[in-house]
Amino acid sequence: MDDLLICRCEGVCMGLILKAIDEGSTSVQGVKKRTRAGMGYCQGRTCQPILRDILQKSIGQNEIEQTQKAQAPVRPIPLGKL
Amino acid sequence: MKQKVIVIGAGIIGTSVAYYLSKKDVNVVLIDAKDIAAGTSGACDKAIMLQSKKSGPTLAMAMKSAELYKNLEEELGEDLEYENGGGMILINNEEELKVLYEHVQKQREAGLKVTIITGDEARKINPNLSPKILAATWCEQDAEVNPLKTAFAYAKAASKANMTMHLNCKVTNLIEVNGRVIGVNTTQGEIYGDCVVLCCGVWVTSLLSSLHLEVPIMPRKGVILVTEKLPKIINCNILGGSYIVSKLQKEPPEKNPLGIGLSMGQTKSGNLLIGGSREFAGFDSSVNSFILTEIAKKAIAAFPCLQHVNLIRSFVGFRPFTPDNLPVIGEVPTVSGLYIAAGHEGDGVALAPITGQMIAEIVTDQTTEMDLTPFHMSRFFESFTY
Ligand SMILES: Cc1cc2nc3c(=O)[nH]c(=O)nc-3n(C[C@H](O)[C@H](O)[C@H](O)COP(=O)(O)OP(=O)(O)OC[C@H]3O[C@@H](n4cnc5c(N)ncnc54)[C@H](O)[C@@H]3O)c2cc1C
C-alpha cells in the first residue's frame, strides 16, 4: 500500500503522503509542500482529488481546504506563445 | 523555571527564530494560523543574493546570513537544495554597464567579491545566454536554497529540541497586562509565556493594531512563472540589469508600475522559476496575463532557447514591504516582552538565519553581536507617512 503511486508526475507514493499527514499536514497544500505531490507537469489534475480523499479518511475533516488555487495557465503553454 | 517564548508565524523567519531559540535553554512554542510555509515563504523564489543588496546594514546582515547558510544542511541534517553557485546581473547596454559598474565598486568597498565580466565570460558560465548580452556582474558568494525545505527543516530540528508546535491555530490578539505581554489568545485557547516574537510577515500589522501599535509593513505582490522540468540550463542566480538600474537611478515607479524585472533560477527538480513583478495591489492574488507575457518576453530575450519551453504554473506571493526597505527586528517599544521580526520584503529567505540568531540572542541575553538600531521599530514613530 505504501508503494502505491499517487502523483505520477513527481513519483510520490502513498507512504510519503501518509508521513506528511503524520507530520501535521491538514490540507492538500500542506501535503504538496512537504512531498511535491501535485507540483508536476499536470499540476495535480489527477492526484489532488485523491489527496483530498486520503486527507478526509486520515484526519476525518469535512472541510478540507480545497485544492490549490487555480492559477494561469490552464494547460502547459510554451513561453513564446504567451 | 525555564523562560517560555511564544513565536507567532511559521514562515522561514518564524521557524528560524524558533530553531535558534531552541538551541538556547528556553521553552519554545511555535504557532501558525495555517501551516509551516503557508504564507510568503511558500510562494517565493530561492535566491540568497548578496550583490543585489544596498551596501549598508542589509548587505552586512545578508553576508552574515550567507555564512550561516553554508553549514546549515549539516547542522540540520537535511537536504535544503543549497547551492553556492554564484549569481550574475545581466547587462544589456552601455548605460546599464555604467550604472552597474558604480554599484559594483560600492559593493566591493563593502567587502563583497563581485566583478564585471564580459558577455563571453558570462556565456562560459551560462552557455545558453543570448549573444546579445553585453556583459554581466558576477558574484561567487551568491547562493540559493529551497525555502520550503529550509522552513520545514528548521521546524523539525526545533521540535527535536522540545519545541511545541500549534498549526491551524490563529492568534486573535495579544494579552497585555501593565505594559507587558503575557500571552496570546488563539482559536485553540489561551497560551501564556514570558515573551512573544511576532514573525507574521505581511500580516503582522493586525496583531500590532490589537495593542494600538502601527508599523508600515504592506504587501508588495510578486508573480513567478514555473516551467516544466528541464535539464540543467541555468547554472547560477540570474537577475536582469534593467530593473536594478532603474532602481539605482531612482526612476519614478510610474515608469514601471508593475515593477517588472527579470529574475531566474533553476530548482534541483529542474523547473525554472522566472520572476517577477513588484506591485502594490493589496492582497489581490490574481495573475494578469499581461504580466506573464512581459516576464516571459524578458526571459526569452536573455535565454532564447526558452521560446518553446512550457509554462506549467504561475503563483503570487506578498513581500512584506517597508518604506525604507529594511526589515523590522528587535524589541517592540512600549510593550515589554514583545519582539518583532518581520518586513523582510524580497530578502527574507536570504536573511532568515541571521534574523533567527539575532532574535534568539536578544530574547535570551538581551544583547546581540550586530547593531540592531537600523532595524528598530521606533524608526517609524516620528515621521509616519507612506
Ligand atoms: C515573488 C517573491 C519572490 C521572492 N524571492 C525571494 C528570494 O529569491 N530571496 C529572498 O531572500 N527572498 C525572497 N522573497 C521574500 C521572502 O519570500 C519573504 O521575505 C519571506 O518569505 C518572509 O518570511 P516570513 O516568515 O516573514 O513571512 P511568511 O512566510 O508570510 O510567514 C508568516 C506566517 O505567519 C502566519 N500568521 C500570520 N498571521 C498570523 C496569526 N494571527 N496567527 C498565527 N499565525 C499567523 C502565516 O500563516 C504565515 O505562515 C520573495 C518574495 C516573493 C513574494
Side-chain angles (χ1 to χ4, degrees):
Chain A
M1 184 70 170
D2 273 3
D3 297 334
L4 194 65
L5 192 58
I6 304 292
C7 168
R8 271 194 277 176
C9 304
E10 294 290 327
V12 185
C13 293
M14 185 69 151
L16 257 183
I17 309 266
L18 293 176
K19 187 166 160 259
I21 295 173
D22 228 38
E23 283 171 8
S25 315
T26 56
S27 65
V28 171
Q29 283 283 357
V31 173
K32 174 181 163 182
K33 285 185 174 141
R34 286 171 179 83
T35 65
R36 287 192 66 87
M39 274 196 197
Y41 195 77
C42 90
Q43 284 294 300
R45 269 174 196 80
T46 313
C47 68
Q48 288 209 15
I50 306 174
L51 290 182
R52 225 179 22 239
D53 283 353
I54 302 173
L55 275 161
Q56 232 143 28
K57 291 218 173 82
S58 319
I59 51 178
Q61 252 177 277
N62 300 323
E63 288 292 317
I64 299 288
E65 222 181 288
Q66 287 309 301
T67 44
Q68 68 177 0
K69 203 174 168 314
Q71 208 64 287
V74 179
R75 259 173 237 312
I77 173 172
L79 289 173
K81 293 229 167 92
L82 277 170
Chain B
M1 264 223 327
K2 275 193 198 176
Q3 191 184 11
K4 182 171 167 192
V5 186
I6 301 172
V7 179
I8 312 175
I12 196 159
I13 300 296
T15 53
S16 167
V17 166
Y19 169 70
Y20 290 99
L21 276 169
S22 78
K23 298 214 300 182
K24 307 261 180 188
D25 194 26
V26 293
N27 286 322
V28 184
V29 182
L30 178 63
I31 306 176
D32 199 283
K34 291 183 174 164
D35 196 356
I36 298 165
T40 311
S41 307
C44 62
D45 222 323
K46 61 187 176 61
I48 306 169
M49 203 132 181
L50 299 175
Q51 59 166 318
S52 57
K53 312 275 177 282
K54 230 174 41 198
S55 49
T58 318
L59 179 62
M61 202 179 151
M63 284 167 74
K64 291 209 166 172
S65 211
E67 281 304 310
L68 291 175
Y69 262 122
K70 283 187 179 157
N71 302 321
L72 199 58
E73 287 185 320
E74 202 186 315
E75 190 178 328
L76 301 179
E78 298 265 343
D79 171 21
L80 306 177
E81 300 180 6
Y82 173 80
E83 198 86 55
N84 190 181
M88 58 173 68
I89 302 177
L90 306 179
I91 298 172
N92 300 292
N93 52 49
E94 294 290 341
E95 196 206 333
E96 287 180 12
L97 180 61
K98 211 175 115 224
V99 178
L100 282 168
Y101 179 80
E102 275 169 38
H103 176 66
V104 162
Q105 296 314 316
K106 280 195 196 134
Q107 305 284 73
R108 288 168 70 98
E109 280 159 29
L112 199 65
K113 291 187 197 124
V114 55
T115 51
I116 302 257
I117 58 176
T118 65
D120 285 339
E121 284 168 328
R123 278 178 285 276
K124 225 172 248 163
I125 299 167
N126 284 300
N128 293 300
L129 204 56
S130 159
K132 290 195 185 133
I133 299 295
L134 178 71
T137 67
W138 172 250
C139 174
E140 63 183 39
Q141 282 157 286
D142 289 338
E144 49 204 307
V145 74
N146 181 327
L148 284 173
K149 288 202 162 179
T150 307
F152 282 109
Y154 268 142
K156 204 170 174 182
S159 296
K160 269 193 202 144
N162 287 326
M163 174 188 82
T164 323
M165 192 156 61
H166 300 274
L167 300 178
N168 294 309
C169 176
K170 185 175 177 181
V171 174
T172 47
N173 65 285
L174 306 166
I175 310 171
E176 183 204 353
V177 174
N178 297 331
R180 176 163 195 96
V181 67
I182 58 157
V184 296
N185 276 314
T186 79
T187 46
Q188 295 179 12
E190 290 149 14
I191 301 174
Y192 292 96
D194 301 300
C195 353
V196 173
V197 190
L198 302 169
C199 303
C200 338
V202 83
W203 295 277
V204 76
T205 45
S206 60
L207 282 181
L208 279 172
S209 67
S210 74
L211 298 178
H212 308 289
L213 284 166
E214 276 185 80
V215 66
I217 291 177
M218 56 178 186
R220 195 171 200 186
K221 175 177 174 179
V223 176
I224 303 252
L225 282 62
V226 187
T227 73
E228 63 188 310
K229 291 181 184 183
L230 302 165
K232 193 91 182 141
I233 63 165
I234 293 183
N235 294 317
C236 64
N237 285 307
I238 307 269
L239 285 183
S242 62
Y243 180 74
I244 309 261
V245 167
S246 74
K247 217 171 74 173
L248 288 169
Q249 292 186 312
K250 303 207 167 64
E251 277 181 11
E254 300 85 70
K255 269 191 98 174
N256 182 3
L258 302 174
I260 291 175
L262 182 66
S263 71
M264 294 176 79
Q266 190 162 11
T267 66
K268 228 182 198 155
S269 331
N271 307 87
L272 296 183
L273 297 181
I274 310 176
S277 57
R278 284 165 187 267
E279 226 190 311
F280 294 108
F283 284 102
D284 167 23
S285 63
S286 64
V287 175
N288 130 353
S289 61
F290 173 78
I291 291 189
L292 293 185
T293 312
E294 287 306 301
I295 297 173
K297 267 196 221 154
K298 285 194 183 287
I300 294 168
F303 289 89
C305 64
L306 296 183
Q307 179 84 13
H308 305 291
V309 163
N310 279 312
L311 173 71
I312 61 169
R313 180 169 169 76
S314 62
F315 63 79
V316 168
F318 299 104
R319 301 177 188 88
F321 165 88
T322 64
D324 57 7
N325 304 106
L326 292 178
V328 189
I329 301 172
E331 287 150 316
V332 171
T334 71
V335 185
S336 65
L338 187 61
Y339 300 82
I340 180 171
H344 294 71
E345 200 183 346
D347 303 330
V349 178
L351 300 180
I354 190 72
T355 302
Q357 200 181 58
M358 292 194 311
I359 289 284
E361 282 170 4
I362 196 143
V363 166
T364 58
D365 310 332
Q366 308 298 316
T367 167
T368 55
E369 198 194 306
M370 247 188 108
D371 177 21
L372 282 183
T373 322
F375 308 112
H376 206 260
M377 188 170 144
S378 58
R379 71 186 192 267
F380 296 118
F381 288 1
E382 278 137 42
S383 56
F384 205 78
T385 46
Y386 37 158

